[in-house]
Amino acid sequence: MIVLGIETSCDETAAAVVDDQRRILSNIVLSQTEDHRPYGGVVPEIAARSHVEHIDGLIRNAMELAQLKFSELDGIAATAGPGLIGGVMVGLVTGKAIAAALAKPLLAINHLEGHALTARLTDNLEFPYLLLLISGGHCQLLLIEGLAQYTRLGTTIDDAVGEAFDKAGKMLGLPYPGGPAIQAAAELGNDLAVDLPRPMIGREGCDFSFSGLKSALRRKLESDPNLGVDDVAASFQRAVGDVVVDRTANAIAMARQKRPDVPYLVIAGGVAANNHLRLRLDRLCVDTDLQLVAPPPEFCTDNGAMIAWAGVERLGAGLTDPLDVQVRARWPLDPHARPMPFAGKKA
Ligand code: KG4
Ligand code: ZN
């Protein structure tokens, strides 16, 4: 079974071809970071226009690289949400057009499900596992028990963790995106130099909050303009690490109540590329007798292979979608999870 995957929900235009033997036949990602850098964040209109310009050529290249004819595909998977709606429409309409022209099944994929199932593609993982999904748009802990069996244990009540990194980077005058820039600066700094709060630590459950940390950082920088950027970056990264470890430790206990046998903690999303967080979570897993599974960074950030793979899994289970399926700006993976009214579009 061979599936084409299309991803356009944020600032990466991506296309990939994956088969049910976990072979990634092609995987092309075109990042728009340079287009958005002058604005210090993703501009939805610029993103959508860029997807329109590049998607056709990218899909053609992905098929050529996989050395396949369109007629050899068994299904077409495209992200249908959640995300920046203009971009999502570009990808889904393209997927629909290809599916209609070929008379092949369409798979309308939840972007979060793509992230959630990636470790099954890259690390051949069995269900169940605990998933920490940390990206520019999402910050959630989920128990993954099977295809379409996802329980959200916690989420952010305001900003996503990557968003916090990006805003902190901007305050420090670092280039966009802030996450990698803070990581690099932190390597040269003292992480005990600046006293910052650790929102939610010690609280029941495993929800996150980063807006207090962001405001505290702004106040520190205003009150002492001479603080060293490296020290601030290191202290900020450590504070985020403390929060993530505390919340994940609670999630492990919550997951074990439902599934005492859960063997893995999987990390996904762009922030999962962060060295400091990987180290801290590795230590947590050793302490709690879990195995940390961290897919290679290029599969943690947005890509087409994760969408194609989610398509393979759904097609295998007969979960195809009609050609009039709609895009969804908001689309929780766990339909029973309570909504977070202040978490904006992103959480
Ligand atoms: O998954 P992703 O590529 O896009 C979204 O779906 O959001 O994640 C992008 C986010 C950005 O906020 C970026 O700053 C962050 O991931 N990021 C990092 C690192 N690399 C990327 N954050 C911290 N440390 C990193 N090394
Ligand atoms: Zn993502």
Side-chain angles (χ1 to χ4, degrees), residues 100-114:
L102 299 171
K104 298 273 165 108
L106 173 73
L107 298 309
I109 303 297
N110 182 319
H111 178 85
L112 302 178
E113 186 170 49

Side-chain angles (χ1 to χ4, degrees), residues 221-239:
L221 292 171
E222 280 164 6
S223 66
D224 187 354
N226 296 319
L227 284 173
V229 170
D230 299 345
D231 287 347
V232 179
S235 304
F236 176 83
Q237 185 172 264
R238 183 180 176 138

Side-chain angles (χ1 to χ4, degrees), residues 153-283:
L153 304 173
T155 186
T156 181
I157 59 173
D158 42 55
D159 291 348
V161 62
E163 211 175 347
F165 267 105
D166 293 338
K167 287 174 179 171
K170 204 169 180 178
M171 283 185 234
L172 288 169
L174 295 170
Y176 173 83
I182 287 186
Q183 175 178 305
E187 269 157 33
L188 310 168
N190 170 6
D191 63 8
L192 295 170
V194 186
D195 186 25
L196 291 167
R198 269 76 172 149
M200 305 298 271
I201 282 200
R203 293 261 284 267
E204 208 178 277
C206 60
D207 286 334
F208 296 84
S209 167
F210 291 104
S211 70
L213 175 58
K214 182 183 64 186
S215 310
L217 180 64
R218 179 173 294 117
R219 283 196 298 275
K220 286 270 178 208
L221 292 171
E222 280 164 6
S223 66
D224 187 354
N226 296 319
L227 284 173
V229 170
D230 299 345
D231 287 347
V232 179
S235 304
F236 176 83
Q237 185 172 264
R238 183 180 176 138
V240 172
D242 287 349
V243 171
V244 170
V245 166
D246 178 87
R247 304 287 79 198
T248 307
N250 280 8
I252 293 169
M254 290 162 78
R256 281 183 168 154
Q257 276 178 6
K258 199 165 181 220
R259 293 296 296 255
D261 57 332
V262 65
Y264 311 108
L265 169 66
V266 177
I267 54 174
V271 185
N274 184 276
N275 290 340
H276 176 75
L277 290 180
R278 280 187 179 225
L279 213 71
R280 300 285 303 273
L281 290 166
D282 203 28
R283 240 178 272 153

